[in-house]
Amino acid sequence: MPSSTHTVPAARVLPEPADLPAPLPEPAPAELRLETVLGALSDPLRLFIVRKLLLESERFDHPCSWLGIDRPKSSLTHHYKALREAGLIRQRQYGLERRSHVRVADLNDRFPGLLDLVAAWEPPATP
Amino acid sequence: MPSSTHTVPAARVLPEPADLPAPLPEPAPAELRLETVLGALSDPLRLFIVRKLLLESERFDHPCSWLGIDRPKSSLTHHYKALREAGLIRQRQYGLERRSHVRVADLNDRFPGLLDLVAAWEPPATP
DNA sequence: CCTCCAGTACGAGTTGAGTCGAACTTAGCA
DNA sequence: TGCTAAGTTCGACTCAACTCGTACTGGAGG
């Protein structure tokens, strides 16, 4: 069992103040499809996004601009939407900002070990 | 290892000695890229191929026709080549047949847990 | 030699995804 | 009221990938 030692923090989810904005439309945990999730992660930029959200910010939602990716906003919107529709991230609207975090609990439950692979990934260069 | 408790018909044992045909060109273990591997597995047909090779025949090579997939030969060649170039399978030429098996050791070493996800996958329908 | 067969190679058609500019929407704030 | 900024939406372009028919190669067996 290679993925028995999880380096990814399990559901260290934030103490939700319960007045959070509702998440944007996303697939339910039972609807997550492995081939869709893998396809979403096959893009290096999206893999970078998920890994950064996973490693550096499990506790907080972060706006799209937080990642510091030098791409047009419309490109980032495209990738965030792809990640959300694949079920990898959850997005909430905070005023003008749309903050995202990885659905760690759902993904660990449905695809155990997957996030460990993402966390262990080494980006080839600066995307 | 998902198929460690797997009984295999002894009649289909291949000549194991060191006079195996050389594998077709494939990436070295250190060259395996997670995003490439995930992209190769994001196609349902390829995911089906890898899973079937993994679950039903990890010890033996199998010709392309063994899977019983109802697709044109040129399509199958396309997907087998994609899997080989991504580093997921190894292919050897036996006379007219080209037999394939999953690179279990390499993949478990480089991406531990990945093949468990493949083995646990449930295909949506008949591809 | 010739035929058969597994699989490849090549090319065309089609689709889908990534990239991005430009215009738009909306919240916060002066 | 109007400005600013975060992010979306739309459309267009490019390019890669999937599909598949057809022609081809190369070994096995007559």
Side-chain angles (χ1 to χ4, degrees):
Chain A
M1 227 5 108
S3 53
S4 57
T5 60
H6 275 286
T7 61
V8 173
R12 189 151 68 104
V13 204
L14 44 160
E16 314 220 345
D19 56 347
L20 289 178
L24 274 66
E26 65 182 22
E31 294 171 348
L32 298 181
R33 297 256 70 213
L34 180 62
E35 60 271 32
T36 307
V37 168
L38 297 186
L41 291 176
S42 67
D43 183 282
L45 182 55
R46 289 199 289 258
L47 196 49
F48 177 84
I49 291 175
V50 174
R51 180 170 171 269
K52 183 150 186 174
L53 285 176
L54 184 68
L55 292 183
E56 304 188 20
S57 74
E58 315 94 30
R59 282 190 54 212
F60 305 107
D61 288 353
H62 285 268
C64 299
S65 56
W66 172 80
L67 293 174
I69 301 176
D70 188 21
R71 295 289 180 91
K73 292 189 294 180
S74 52
S75 297
L76 295 184
T77 298
H78 168 74
H79 289 295
Y80 274 94
K81 185 180 179 184
L83 289 173
R84 177 171 47 89
E85 292 182 342
L88 280 158
I89 64 173
R90 173 165 297 145
Q91 293 188 288
R92 284 192 170 92
Q93 195 81 29
Y94 290 81
L96 274 179
E97 284 182 349
R98 178 167 294 192
R99 300 184 191 167
S100 311
H101 69 269
V102 181
R103 295 172 61 178
V104 178
D106 291 340
L107 292 166
N108 277 338
D109 180 60
R110 195 89 167 70
F111 309 117
L114 176 64
L115 292 183
D116 296 303
L117 296 174
V118 175
W121 179 64
E122 297 189 10
T126 310
Chain B
M1 220 50 43
S3 51
S4 55
T5 62
H6 190 249
T7 54
V8 183
R12 281 206 45 101
V13 169
L14 294 178
E16 280 285 347
D19 58 348
L20 290 178
L24 274 66
E26 66 182 22
E31 293 171 347
L32 298 182
R33 295 256 70 213
L34 180 60
E35 61 270 33
T36 308
V37 168
L38 297 186
L41 291 176
S42 67
D43 185 282
L45 182 55
R46 289 199 290 259
L47 194 48
F48 176 85
I49 292 174
V50 173
R51 179 169 170 271
K52 183 149 185 173
L53 285 176
L54 183 67
L55 292 183
E56 304 187 23
S57 75
E58 106 190 7
R59 280 192 56 208
F60 304 105
D61 288 353
H62 285 268
C64 298
S65 55
W66 171 80
L67 294 175
I69 301 176
D70 187 21
R71 297 288 180 92
K73 292 190 295 180
S74 52
S75 297
L76 295 184
T77 298
H78 168 74
H79 289 295
Y80 274 93
K81 185 179 179 183
L83 288 173
R84 191 187 75 240
E85 293 181 342
L88 280 159
I89 63 173
R90 173 165 297 144
Q91 293 188 288
R92 285 192 169 92
Q93 194 81 29
Y94 290 81
L96 276 180
E97 284 182 349
R98 177 168 295 192
R99 300 183 191 168
S100 311
H101 69 271
V102 182
R103 294 172 62 177
V104 178
D106 291 340
L107 292 167
N108 276 338
D109 180 60
R110 195 88 167 70
F111 309 117
L114 176 65
L115 291 183
D116 297 304
L117 297 174
V118 175
W121 179 64
E122 296 189 12
T126 310

